[in-house]
Each structure stands twice: as C-alpha cells, then as structure tokens.
Amino acid sequence: DAGVIQSPRHEVTEMGQEVTLRCKPISGHDYLFWYRQTMMRGLELLIYFNNNVPIDDSGMPEDRFSAKMPNASFSTLKIQPSEPRDSAVYFCASSWGGSVRSGANVLTFGAGSRLTVL
Amino acid sequence: DQQVKQNSPSLSVQEGRISILNCDYTNSMFDYFLWYKKYPAEGPTFLISISSIKDKNEDGRFTVFLNKSAKHLSLHIVPSQPGDSAVYFCAASEGGSNFGNEKLTFGTGTRLTIIP
C-alpha cells in the first residue's frame, strides 16, 4: 500500500480564496482524521470519520472549515474563505478500529499539506 | 487548554548518551499513551505506546515510562543515534484499552537533536 496520500503538498493562496485539501486513506482503514499542526498548539484534531460518517467535528475552528468523506477512499477538507491565520500544515491520518492490543488505532499519517495564506 | 504538555520545545543530546523526553497530561481519563516521531516534510510515525495498566513498555532502544499518580510519561532512547534527530510528539487517549482509542490528543512536540 502507498500509505496515506495527501494533495497538494504545498498551497499558497491569497486571503479570501477557497482552499481544498485532499486525502486518500489506506485501503481497509475505517477511520480517517484531519489534524492541523501549528507551533503554538502542536497537532490539533479537527474532525474524524468512521466508515465515512463524521463522528466528531468539535475541533473544526469555524464555519469556514468543512470536511467531507464521500466514500471510503477519499476525503476533502475545505476552507472558505481562507485567512492568514489558517496557515499551517494539515495532516490526514487513517487507522482501523479494534483492540489496541492488536495494534489497532495506531494512526498512519500522510506527508501533510503545507498551506500558506497571504 | 492544552491537556497534553511537552514543556521542552527542544533537546540536544550527545550521540551514545540517553535521551529523555517528557510529557505531562491533565486529563485523568486518559488511559492510553503513544509517542510519534516526525522527520521534516513527513507525517508523524508511530513509535511506541503504553496502556495505563502498565508503568513501562520497552521496544529495543526505546522505553516509555508512565507515572499515573504524577500524570507524567517519559520516553527514553538509549543509546541515542543521529537518526533519532526528529520531533517527538506525545499523544493520549481516553478511549479505553480494549477498544477504539480513536481520538488522540497530541502535545506540541519536542525537537530532539543528536550531536555526533
């Protein structure tokens, strides 16, 4: 498996523009997570899905952020309109549910999408 | 409010010596803890974990210690190697040790530099 695939790797945009980040999880994983990394707050969980259904979106900072998972192999995180304070690295991760003693729930992260909003 | 805290943003250690990375947490419901390692331009990768029913877990050069009464865990790397230079994130979950620790809370990370 190629692992978790994220695109784009880098995005530079101007304030007010719409940004869409994409993620392809590992085949067979039933959990998908979107995290944001900043210097001040480290890795923050934004939202996660189980079997394509959003379970917890309490980390989504504002209504400007939205995420979808139309099928088991694809998810998007959209920011509209974008603001300079949204500049960060956004990570997608996936895992499979089950007993942690069997190694489940260990997140596999993608390489991240670095977003810069000017 | 940061429920998982890594108070040292950076740490430098001589090659061959022991590296000790620390992590504190405030949520007494956390019962599963993990360490992730991150190289530049890559995503974090899982390193080692520990359940709250244990106080130590060892995997090769890496050992994680858990002190529940102090709400503190630490990662020991012995001996430290140049390839260990990376950012280390501590993470915690309250999902229960038998099923589904889906929601991990991460710390801010500690940048470890191993000096040759």
Short mmCIF file of all heavy atoms in Angstrom, two decimals, chain B residues 16-85:
data_model
loop_
_atom_site.label_atom_id
_atom_site.label_comp_id
_atom_site.label_asym_id
_atom_site.label_seq_id
_atom_site.Cartn_x
_atom_site.Cartn_y
_atom_site.Cartn_z
N GLY B 16 25.17 8.45 21.57
CA GLY B 16 25.56 7.39 22.50
C GLY B 16 25.01 7.57 23.91
O GLY B 16 24.95 6.60 24.68
N ARG B 17 24.58 8.80 24.21
CA ARG B 17 24.03 9.04 25.55
C ARG B 17 22.53 8.75 25.56
O ARG B 17 21.92 8.43 24.54
CB ARG B 17 24.27 10.51 25.94
CG ARG B 17 25.74 10.89 26.03
CD ARG B 17 26.41 10.28 27.23
NE ARG B 17 27.78 10.76 27.42
CZ ARG B 17 28.13 11.65 28.32
NH1 ARG B 17 27.21 12.21 29.09
NH2 ARG B 17 29.39 12.00 28.44
N ILE B 18 21.93 8.91 26.73
CA ILE B 18 20.49 8.69 26.85
C ILE B 18 19.73 9.98 26.55
O ILE B 18 20.13 11.06 26.99
CB ILE B 18 20.13 8.17 28.26
CG1 ILE B 18 18.63 7.91 28.38
CG2 ILE B 18 20.58 9.16 29.34
CD1 ILE B 18 18.24 7.20 29.68
N SER B 19 18.66 9.86 25.78
CA SER B 19 17.74 10.98 25.55
C SER B 19 16.49 10.70 26.36
O SER B 19 15.94 9.60 26.33
CB SER B 19 17.35 11.08 24.07
OG SER B 19 18.46 11.40 23.26
N ILE B 20 16.05 11.72 27.09
CA ILE B 20 14.82 11.59 27.88
C ILE B 20 13.87 12.71 27.48
O ILE B 20 14.18 13.89 27.66
CB ILE B 20 15.12 11.66 29.39
CG1 ILE B 20 16.06 10.53 29.80
CG2 ILE B 20 13.80 11.57 30.18
CD1 ILE B 20 16.48 10.56 31.25
N LEU B 21 12.74 12.33 26.93
CA LEU B 21 11.72 13.29 26.54
C LEU B 21 10.54 13.15 27.48
O LEU B 21 10.11 12.04 27.78
CB LEU B 21 11.27 13.06 25.10
CG LEU B 21 12.35 13.31 24.04
CD1 LEU B 21 13.06 12.02 23.68
CD2 LEU B 21 11.75 13.93 22.80
N ASN B 22 10.03 14.27 27.94
CA ASN B 22 8.98 14.27 28.95
C ASN B 22 7.65 14.78 28.42
O ASN B 22 7.60 15.58 27.49
CB ASN B 22 9.42 15.13 30.14
CG ASN B 22 10.60 14.53 30.87
OD1 ASN B 22 10.54 13.39 31.33
ND2 ASN B 22 11.68 15.28 30.98
N CYS B 23 6.61 14.31 29.09
CA CYS B 23 5.25 14.67 28.70
C CYS B 23 4.37 14.65 29.94
O CYS B 23 4.46 13.71 30.74
CB CYS B 23 4.75 13.67 27.66
SG CYS B 23 3.06 13.91 27.09
N ASP B 24 3.55 15.66 30.12
CA ASP B 24 2.61 15.73 31.23
C ASP B 24 1.20 15.84 30.68
O ASP B 24 0.99 16.43 29.62
CB ASP B 24 2.92 16.93 32.12
CG ASP B 24 4.28 16.83 32.77
OD1 ASP B 24 4.46 15.94 33.60
OD2 ASP B 24 5.16 17.64 32.42
N TYR B 25 0.26 15.30 31.41
CA TYR B 25 -1.13 15.40 30.98
C TYR B 25 -2.01 15.80 32.15
O TYR B 25 -1.65 15.62 33.32
CB TYR B 25 -1.61 14.10 30.32
CG TYR B 25 -1.57 12.88 31.22
CD1 TYR B 25 -2.71 12.46 31.92
CD2 TYR B 25 -0.42 12.13 31.36
CE1 TYR B 25 -2.68 11.34 32.72
CE2 TYR B 25 -0.38 11.01 32.15
CZ TYR B 25 -1.52 10.61 32.84
OH TYR B 25 -1.49 9.50 33.64
N THR B 26 -3.16 16.36 31.83
CA THR B 26 -4.05 16.85 32.88
C THR B 26 -5.35 16.05 32.98
O THR B 26 -5.99 16.05 34.03
CB THR B 26 -4.40 18.32 32.65
OG1 THR B 26 -5.00 18.46 31.34
CG2 THR B 26 -3.16 19.20 32.71
N ASN B 27 -5.71 15.36 31.93
CA ASN B 27 -6.97 14.63 31.90
C ASN B 27 -6.80 13.25 32.54
O ASN B 27 -6.15 12.38 32.00
CB ASN B 27 -7.45 14.49 30.45
CG ASN B 27 -8.83 13.88 30.32
OD1 ASN B 27 -9.36 13.30 31.26
ND2 ASN B 27 -9.43 14.02 29.16
N SER B 28 -7.42 13.05 33.70
CA SER B 28 -7.27 11.77 34.41
C SER B 28 -7.99 10.62 33.72
O SER B 28 -7.83 9.46 34.09
CB SER B 28 -7.77 11.92 35.85
OG SER B 28 -9.12 12.33 35.84
N MET B 29 -8.77 10.94 32.70
CA MET B 29 -9.47 9.89 31.95
C MET B 29 -8.59 9.27 30.86
O MET B 29 -8.94 8.25 30.28
CB MET B 29 -10.73 10.45 31.30
CG MET B 29 -11.74 10.99 32.30
SD MET B 29 -12.32 9.70 33.42
CE MET B 29 -13.26 8.68 32.28
N PHE B 30 -7.46 9.89 30.58
CA PHE B 30 -6.55 9.31 29.57
C PHE B 30 -6.06 7.96 30.08
O PHE B 30 -5.63 7.83 31.24
CB PHE B 30 -5.35 10.23 29.33
CG PHE B 30 -5.65 11.46 28.52
CD1 PHE B 30 -4.94 12.63 28.73
CD2 PHE B 30 -6.62 11.44 27.53
CE1 PHE B 30 -5.19 13.77 27.99
CE2 PHE B 30 -6.89 12.58 26.78
CZ PHE B 30 -6.17 13.75 27.02
N ASP B 31 -6.12 6.95 29.24
CA ASP B 31 -5.66 5.64 29.68
C ASP B 31 -4.80 4.92 28.63
O ASP B 31 -4.48 3.75 28.79
CB ASP B 31 -6.85 4.76 30.07
CG ASP B 31 -7.81 4.53 28.92
OD1 ASP B 31 -7.56 5.05 27.81
OD2 ASP B 31 -8.82 3.84 29.12
N TYR B 32 -4.44 5.64 27.58
CA TYR B 32 -3.57 5.03 26.57
C TYR B 32 -2.71 6.13 26.01
O TYR B 32 -3.21 7.21 25.69
CB TYR B 32 -4.42 4.38 25.48
CG TYR B 32 -3.65 3.48 24.55
CD1 TYR B 32 -3.04 2.33 25.00
CD2 TYR B 32 -3.54 3.78 23.19
CE1 TYR B 32 -2.34 1.50 24.16
CE2 TYR B 32 -2.85 2.97 22.32
CZ TYR B 32 -2.24 1.81 22.83
OH TYR B 32 -1.55 1.00 21.98
N PHE B 33 -1.41 5.86 25.92
CA PHE B 33 -0.46 6.90 25.57
C PHE B 33 0.47 6.40 24.47
O PHE B 33 0.84 5.22 24.44
CB PHE B 33 0.36 7.30 26.81
CG PHE B 33 -0.49 7.72 27.97
CD1 PHE B 33 -0.96 6.77 28.88
CD2 PHE B 33 -0.86 9.05 28.14
CE1 PHE B 33 -1.77 7.15 29.94
CE2 PHE B 33 -1.67 9.43 29.19
CZ PHE B 33 -2.12 8.49 30.10
N LEU B 34 0.82 7.34 23.59
CA LEU B 34 1.65 6.97 22.45
C LEU B 34 2.71 8.03 22.23
O LEU B 34 2.54 9.19 22.60
CB LEU B 34 0.81 6.85 21.17
CG LEU B 34 -0.43 5.95 21.19
CD1 LEU B 34 -1.67 6.72 21.65
CD2 LEU B 34 -0.67 5.36 19.81
N TRP B 35 3.78 7.62 21.59
CA TRP B 35 4.80 8.55 21.10
C TRP B 35 4.90 8.40 19.59
O TRP B 35 4.93 7.28 19.06
CB TRP B 35 6.17 8.28 21.73
CG TRP B 35 6.28 8.72 23.15
CD1 TRP B 35 6.03 7.98 24.27
CD2 TRP B 35 6.67 10.01 23.62
NE1 TRP B 35 6.25 8.72 25.39
CE2 TRP B 35 6.64 9.97 25.04
CE3 TRP B 35 7.06 11.21 22.99
CZ2 TRP B 35 6.99 11.07 25.82
CZ3 TRP B 35 7.40 12.30 23.76
CH2 TRP B 35 7.36 12.23 25.17
N TYR B 36 4.93 9.55 18.93
CA TYR B 36 5.12 9.60 17.49
C TYR B 36 6.39 10.39 17.21
O TYR B 36 6.74 11.31 17.93
CB TYR B 36 3.94 10.29 16.79
CG TYR B 36 2.73 9.40 16.60
CD1 TYR B 36 1.88 9.11 17.65
CD2 TYR B 36 2.45 8.85 15.35
CE1 TYR B 36 0.78 8.28 17.47
CE2 TYR B 36 1.35 8.03 15.17
CZ TYR B 36 0.52 7.75 16.23
OH TYR B 36 -0.57 6.94 16.05
N LYS B 37 7.02 10.02 16.11
CA LYS B 37 8.27 10.66 15.69
C LYS B 37 8.02 11.30 14.33
O LYS B 37 7.37 10.70 13.48
CB LYS B 37 9.33 9.57 15.59
CG LYS B 37 10.68 9.96 15.09
CD LYS B 37 11.56 8.70 15.12
CE LYS B 37 12.93 8.95 14.59
NZ LYS B 37 13.76 7.73 14.64
N LYS B 38 8.55 12.50 14.14
CA LYS B 38 8.31 13.20 12.87
C LYS B 38 9.61 13.77 12.32
O LYS B 38 10.28 14.57 12.97
CB LYS B 38 7.28 14.32 13.07
CG LYS B 38 6.92 15.01 11.76
CD LYS B 38 6.00 16.17 12.00
CE LYS B 38 5.68 16.89 10.70
NZ LYS B 38 6.87 17.32 9.96
N TYR B 39 9.91 13.37 11.08
CA TYR B 39 11.02 13.97 10.35
C TYR B 39 10.48 15.13 9.50
O TYR B 39 9.28 15.16 9.17
CB TYR B 39 11.67 12.94 9.42
CG TYR B 39 12.43 11.84 10.14
CD1 TYR B 39 12.05 10.51 9.98
CD2 TYR B 39 13.51 12.12 10.95
CE1 TYR B 39 12.74 9.49 10.62
CE2 TYR B 39 14.20 11.11 11.59
CZ TYR B 39 13.81 9.80 11.43
OH TYR B 39 14.50 8.80 12.05
N PRO B 40 11.34 16.08 9.13
CA PRO B 40 10.90 17.20 8.30
C PRO B 40 10.24 16.73 7.00
O PRO B 40 10.69 15.76 6.39
CB PRO B 40 12.20 17.96 8.02
CG PRO B 40 13.10 17.61 9.15
CD PRO B 40 12.76 16.20 9.51
N ALA B 41 9.19 17.40 6.62
CA ALA B 41 8.47 17.15 5.36
C ALA B 41 7.83 15.76 5.31
O ALA B 41 7.49 15.27 4.22
CB ALA B 41 9.38 17.36 4.15
N GLU B 42 7.69 15.12 6.47
CA GLU B 42 7.00 13.84 6.52
C GLU B 42 5.91 13.91 7.59
O GLU B 42 5.93 14.78 8.46
CB GLU B 42 7.97 12.71 6.86
CG GLU B 42 9.03 12.47 5.80
CD GLU B 42 9.92 11.29 6.16
OE1 GLU B 42 9.61 10.56 7.12
OE2 GLU B 42 10.96 11.13 5.48
N GLY B 43 4.98 12.96 7.53
CA GLY B 43 3.99 12.86 8.59
C GLY B 43 4.57 12.15 9.80
O GLY B 43 5.56 11.43 9.70
N PRO B 44 3.97 12.35 10.95
CA PRO B 44 4.40 11.62 12.15
C PRO B 44 4.24 10.12 11.96
O PRO B 44 3.31 9.67 11.29
CB PRO B 44 3.46 12.13 13.24
CG PRO B 44 2.92 13.42 12.72
CD PRO B 44 2.85 13.27 11.24
N THR B 45 5.15 9.36 12.55
CA THR B 45 5.06 7.90 12.50
C THR B 45 5.04 7.36 13.93
O THR B 45 5.72 7.88 14.82
CB THR B 45 6.22 7.27 11.73
OG1 THR B 45 7.46 7.72 12.30
CG2 THR B 45 6.19 7.65 10.27
N PHE B 46 4.27 6.31 14.12
CA PHE B 46 4.12 5.70 15.44
C PHE B 46 5.44 5.11 15.91
O PHE B 46 6.16 4.46 15.15
CB PHE B 46 3.04 4.61 15.37
CG PHE B 46 2.96 3.76 16.61
CD1 PHE B 46 2.44 4.28 17.77
CD2 PHE B 46 3.43 2.46 16.60
CE1 PHE B 46 2.37 3.50 18.92
CE2 PHE B 46 3.37 1.68 17.73
CZ PHE B 46 2.84 2.19 18.90
N LEU B 47 5.75 5.33 17.18
CA LEU B 47 7.00 4.83 17.74
C LEU B 47 6.75 3.76 18.80
O LEU B 47 7.23 2.64 18.71
CB LEU B 47 7.78 6.00 18.34
CG LEU B 47 9.19 5.74 18.85
CD1 LEU B 47 10.07 5.20 17.75
CD2 LEU B 47 9.78 7.04 19.41
N ILE B 48 6.00 4.10 19.83
CA ILE B 48 5.79 3.18 20.94
C ILE B 48 4.57 3.65 21.72
O ILE B 48 4.21 4.83 21.68
CB ILE B 48 7.05 3.12 21.85
CG1 ILE B 48 6.98 1.96 22.84
CG2 ILE B 48 7.28 4.45 22.55
CD1 ILE B 48 8.29 1.71 23.59
N SER B 49 3.92 2.72 22.42
CA SER B 49 2.73 3.09 23.19
C SER B 49 2.75 2.38 24.53
O SER B 49 3.54 1.46 24.76
CB SER B 49 1.47 2.71 22.41
OG SER B 49 1.39 1.30 22.24
N ILE B 50 1.86 2.82 25.41
CA ILE B 50 1.72 2.19 26.71
C ILE B 50 0.29 2.34 27.19
O ILE B 50 -0.32 3.41 27.03
CB ILE B 50 2.73 2.78 27.73
CG1 ILE B 50 2.70 1.98 29.04
CG2 ILE B 50 2.46 4.26 27.98
CD1 ILE B 50 3.86 2.31 29.97
N SER B 51 -0.24 1.29 27.76
CA SER B 51 -1.56 1.33 28.37
C SER B 51 -1.42 1.73 29.83
O SER B 51 -0.38 1.51 30.45
CB SER B 51 -2.20 -0.06 28.26
OG SER B 51 -3.32 -0.16 29.11
N SER B 52 -2.49 2.28 30.37
CA SER B 52 -2.44 2.74 31.76
C SER B 52 -2.33 1.60 32.77
O SER B 52 -2.09 1.85 33.95
CB SER B 52 -3.66 3.60 32.08
OG SER B 52 -4.84 2.85 31.90
N ILE B 53 -2.51 0.39 32.32
CA ILE B 53 -2.37 -0.74 33.25
C ILE B 53 -0.90 -1.12 33.45
O ILE B 53 -0.58 -1.98 34.26
CB ILE B 53 -3.16 -1.98 32.77
CG1 ILE B 53 -2.66 -2.48 31.42
CG2 ILE B 53 -4.65 -1.66 32.71
CD1 ILE B 53 -3.31 -3.78 30.98
N LYS B 54 -0.03 -0.49 32.67
CA LYS B 54 1.40 -0.75 32.79
C LYS B 54 2.12 0.52 33.24
O LYS B 54 1.59 1.63 33.14
CB LYS B 54 1.98 -1.19 31.44
CG LYS B 54 1.45 -2.52 30.93
CD LYS B 54 2.17 -2.89 29.66
CE LYS B 54 1.74 -4.27 29.18
NZ LYS B 54 2.46 -4.66 27.94
N ASP B 55 3.34 0.35 33.72
CA ASP B 55 4.14 1.54 34.02
C ASP B 55 5.39 1.61 33.17
O ASP B 55 6.15 2.58 33.25
CB ASP B 55 4.49 1.61 35.51
CG ASP B 55 5.17 0.34 36.01
OD1 ASP B 55 5.68 -0.44 35.19
OD2 ASP B 55 5.18 0.12 37.24
N LYS B 56 5.60 0.60 32.34
CA LYS B 56 6.79 0.60 31.48
C LYS B 56 6.52 -0.26 30.26
O LYS B 56 5.89 -1.32 30.35
CB LYS B 56 7.97 0.04 32.28
CG LYS B 56 9.26 -0.13 31.51
CD LYS B 56 10.33 -0.75 32.40
CE LYS B 56 11.60 -1.08 31.64
NZ LYS B 56 12.62 -1.71 32.51
N ASN B 57 7.02 0.21 29.13
CA ASN B 57 6.98 -0.60 27.92
C ASN B 57 8.26 -0.35 27.15
O ASN B 57 8.68 0.79 26.97
CB ASN B 57 5.77 -0.24 27.06
CG ASN B 57 5.59 -1.22 25.91
OD1 ASN B 57 6.01 -2.37 25.98
ND2 ASN B 57 4.97 -0.77 24.83
N GLU B 58 8.88 -1.45 26.71
CA GLU B 58 10.19 -1.35 26.08
C GLU B 58 10.15 -1.94 24.68
O GLU B 58 9.53 -2.97 24.43
CB GLU B 58 11.19 -2.13 26.94
CG GLU B 58 12.64 -1.91 26.62
CD GLU B 58 13.55 -2.55 27.67
OE1 GLU B 58 13.03 -2.98 28.72
OE2 GLU B 58 14.75 -2.63 27.43
N ASP B 59 10.84 -1.27 23.76
CA ASP B 59 10.95 -1.77 22.39
C ASP B 59 12.32 -1.38 21.86
O ASP B 59 12.52 -0.27 21.39
CB ASP B 59 9.84 -1.18 21.53
CG ASP B 59 9.86 -1.74 20.10
OD1 ASP B 59 10.70 -2.61 19.80
OD2 ASP B 59 9.02 -1.30 19.29
N GLY B 60 13.24 -2.30 21.98
CA GLY B 60 14.59 -2.02 21.52
C GLY B 60 15.24 -0.91 22.31
O GLY B 60 15.31 -0.95 23.54
N ARG B 61 15.67 0.13 21.61
CA ARG B 61 16.33 1.25 22.29
C ARG B 61 15.34 2.21 22.96
O ARG B 61 15.76 3.15 23.63
CB ARG B 61 17.17 2.03 21.28
CG ARG B 61 18.32 1.25 20.67
CD ARG B 61 19.19 2.12 19.76
NE ARG B 61 18.46 2.65 18.62
CZ ARG B 61 18.19 3.94 18.46
NH1 ARG B 61 18.58 4.83 19.37
NH2 ARG B 61 17.53 4.35 17.40
N PHE B 62 14.07 2.00 22.74
CA PHE B 62 13.03 2.92 23.21
C PHE B 62 12.25 2.32 24.37
O PHE B 62 11.79 1.19 24.31
CB PHE B 62 12.07 3.26 22.07
CG PHE B 62 12.74 3.86 20.87
CD1 PHE B 62 13.21 3.06 19.84
CD2 PHE B 62 12.92 5.23 20.77
CE1 PHE B 62 13.85 3.61 18.73
CE2 PHE B 62 13.55 5.79 19.67
CZ PHE B 62 14.02 4.98 18.66
N THR B 63 12.12 3.11 25.44
CA THR B 63 11.33 2.70 26.60
C THR B 63 10.45 3.86 27.00
O THR B 63 10.91 5.00 27.09
CB THR B 63 12.24 2.32 27.78
OG1 THR B 63 13.13 1.28 27.38
CG2 THR B 63 11.40 1.84 28.96
N VAL B 64 9.18 3.55 27.23
CA VAL B 64 8.26 4.57 27.73
C VAL B 64 7.89 4.21 29.17
O VAL B 64 7.59 3.06 29.48
CB VAL B 64 7.01 4.73 26.83
CG1 VAL B 64 6.29 3.41 26.66
CG2 VAL B 64 6.09 5.79 27.37
N PHE B 65 7.94 5.23 30.02
CA PHE B 65 7.58 5.07 31.42
C PHE B 65 6.33 5.91 31.70
O PHE B 65 6.22 7.04 31.23
CB PHE B 65 8.72 5.56 32.33
CG PHE B 65 9.97 4.74 32.23
CD1 PHE B 65 10.97 5.09 31.34
CD2 PHE B 65 10.15 3.63 33.05
CE1 PHE B 65 12.14 4.34 31.24
CE2 PHE B 65 11.31 2.88 32.96
CZ PHE B 65 12.31 3.23 32.06
N LEU B 66 5.42 5.34 32.48
CA LEU B 66 4.20 6.04 32.84
C LEU B 66 4.07 6.13 34.35
O LEU B 66 4.13 5.11 35.04
CB LEU B 66 2.98 5.33 32.26
CG LEU B 66 1.61 5.88 32.63
CD1 LEU B 66 1.45 7.30 32.11
CD2 LEU B 66 0.50 4.98 32.08
N ASN B 67 3.87 7.34 34.84
CA ASN B 67 3.62 7.58 36.27
C ASN B 67 2.24 8.19 36.38
O ASN B 67 2.06 9.40 36.20
CB ASN B 67 4.70 8.52 36.83
CG ASN B 67 4.53 8.77 38.32
OD1 ASN B 67 3.43 8.66 38.86
ND2 ASN B 67 5.61 9.09 38.99
N LYS B 68 1.26 7.33 36.65
CA LYS B 68 -0.13 7.80 36.64
C LYS B 68 -0.41 8.80 37.76
O LYS B 68 -1.16 9.74 37.57
CB LYS B 68 -1.09 6.61 36.75
CG LYS B 68 -1.13 5.76 35.49
CD LYS B 68 -2.24 4.72 35.56
CE LYS B 68 -1.97 3.66 36.59
NZ LYS B 68 -0.82 2.81 36.20
N SER B 69 0.18 8.59 38.90
CA SER B 69 -0.10 9.49 40.03
C SER B 69 0.39 10.90 39.72
O SER B 69 -0.21 11.89 40.13
CB SER B 69 0.52 8.96 41.31
OG SER B 69 1.92 8.87 41.18
N ALA B 70 1.49 10.98 38.99
CA ALA B 70 2.04 12.29 38.63
C ALA B 70 1.51 12.77 37.29
O ALA B 70 1.84 13.90 36.87
CB ALA B 70 3.56 12.22 38.57
N LYS B 71 0.74 11.94 36.61
CA LYS B 71 0.25 12.26 35.26
C LYS B 71 1.42 12.65 34.36
O LYS B 71 1.43 13.72 33.73
CB LYS B 71 -0.81 13.37 35.30
CG LYS B 71 -2.10 12.98 36.01
CD LYS B 71 -3.20 14.01 35.75
CE LYS B 71 -4.50 13.64 36.42
NZ LYS B 71 -4.42 13.67 37.89
N HIS B 72 2.38 11.78 34.34
CA HIS B 72 3.62 12.06 33.63
C HIS B 72 4.10 10.81 32.90
O HIS B 72 4.01 9.70 33.42
CB HIS B 72 4.70 12.51 34.63
CG HIS B 72 6.04 12.75 34.02
ND1 HIS B 72 6.38 13.94 33.40
CD2 HIS B 72 7.13 11.94 33.90
CE1 HIS B 72 7.61 13.85 32.95
NE2 HIS B 72 8.09 12.66 33.24
N LEU B 73 4.56 11.03 31.67
CA LEU B 73 5.23 9.94 30.98
C LEU B 73 6.50 10.44 30.34
O LEU B 73 6.67 11.65 30.12
CB LEU B 73 4.33 9.23 29.96
CG LEU B 73 3.83 9.95 28.72
CD1 LEU B 73 3.51 8.91 27.66
CD2 LEU B 73 2.58 10.74 29.02
N SER B 74 7.40 9.51 30.12
CA SER B 74 8.67 9.88 29.52
C SER B 74 9.09 8.82 28.51
O SER B 74 8.72 7.65 28.62
CB SER B 74 9.74 10.07 30.59
OG SER B 74 9.95 8.88 31.31
N LEU B 75 9.84 9.26 27.55
CA LEU B 75 10.42 8.38 26.53
C LEU B 75 11.93 8.41 26.68
O LEU B 75 12.53 9.49 26.66
CB LEU B 75 10.02 8.86 25.14
CG LEU B 75 10.65 8.12 23.96
CD1 LEU B 75 10.12 6.68 23.89
CD2 LEU B 75 10.38 8.85 22.65
N HIS B 76 12.51 7.23 26.85
CA HIS B 76 13.96 7.11 26.96
C HIS B 76 14.50 6.45 25.70
O HIS B 76 13.96 5.41 25.27
CB HIS B 76 14.34 6.27 28.18
CG HIS B 76 14.01 6.92 29.48
ND1 HIS B 76 14.77 6.70 30.62
CD2 HIS B 76 13.04 7.79 29.84
CE1 HIS B 76 14.26 7.40 31.62
NE2 HIS B 76 13.21 8.07 31.17
N ILE B 77 15.55 7.03 25.16
CA ILE B 77 16.21 6.45 23.99
C ILE B 77 17.66 6.18 24.37
O ILE B 77 18.40 7.10 24.71
CB ILE B 77 16.16 7.42 22.79
CG1 ILE B 77 14.72 7.87 22.50
CG2 ILE B 77 16.76 6.75 21.55
CD1 ILE B 77 14.61 8.96 21.44
N VAL B 78 18.02 4.89 24.34
CA VAL B 78 19.37 4.51 24.74
C VAL B 78 19.90 3.41 23.81
O VAL B 78 19.25 2.37 23.71
CB VAL B 78 19.40 3.99 26.20
CG1 VAL B 78 20.82 3.64 26.61
CG2 VAL B 78 18.80 4.98 27.15
N PRO B 79 21.08 3.56 23.20
CA PRO B 79 21.82 4.81 23.12
C PRO B 79 21.25 5.69 22.00
O PRO B 79 20.67 5.18 21.04
CB PRO B 79 23.23 4.33 22.76
CG PRO B 79 22.98 3.10 21.94
CD PRO B 79 21.75 2.45 22.51
N SER B 80 21.41 6.98 22.11
CA SER B 80 20.91 7.90 21.09
C SER B 80 21.79 7.83 19.85
O SER B 80 23.02 7.73 19.94
CB SER B 80 20.90 9.33 21.64
OG SER B 80 20.08 9.42 22.78
N GLN B 81 21.12 7.90 18.69
CA GLN B 81 21.83 7.84 17.41
C GLN B 81 21.44 9.05 16.57
O GLN B 81 20.36 9.61 16.74
CB GLN B 81 21.45 6.54 16.67
CG GLN B 81 21.80 5.27 17.41
CD GLN B 81 21.31 4.03 16.72
OE1 GLN B 81 20.58 4.09 15.72
NE2 GLN B 81 21.69 2.86 17.25
N PRO B 82 22.29 9.45 15.64
CA PRO B 82 21.97 10.62 14.80
C PRO B 82 20.63 10.52 14.10
O PRO B 82 19.93 11.51 13.95
CB PRO B 82 23.14 10.65 13.80
CG PRO B 82 24.28 10.05 14.54
CD PRO B 82 23.67 8.95 15.39
N GLY B 83 20.24 9.31 13.71
CA GLY B 83 18.95 9.11 13.05
C GLY B 83 17.76 9.35 13.95
O GLY B 83 16.61 9.41 13.48
N ASP B 84 18.02 9.51 15.25
CA ASP B 84 16.93 9.79 16.18
C ASP B 84 16.57 11.27 16.18
O ASP B 84 15.57 11.68 16.80
CB ASP B 84 17.31 9.39 17.61
CG ASP B 84 17.56 7.89 17.74
OD1 ASP B 84 16.92 7.11 17.00
OD2 ASP B 84 18.41 7.51 18.57
N SER B 85 17.35 12.09 15.51
CA SER B 85 17.06 13.53 15.44
C SER B 85 15.74 13.73 14.71
O SER B 85 15.61 13.39 13.53
CB SER B 85 18.19 14.28 14.72
OG SER B 85 19.39 14.22 15.44
#
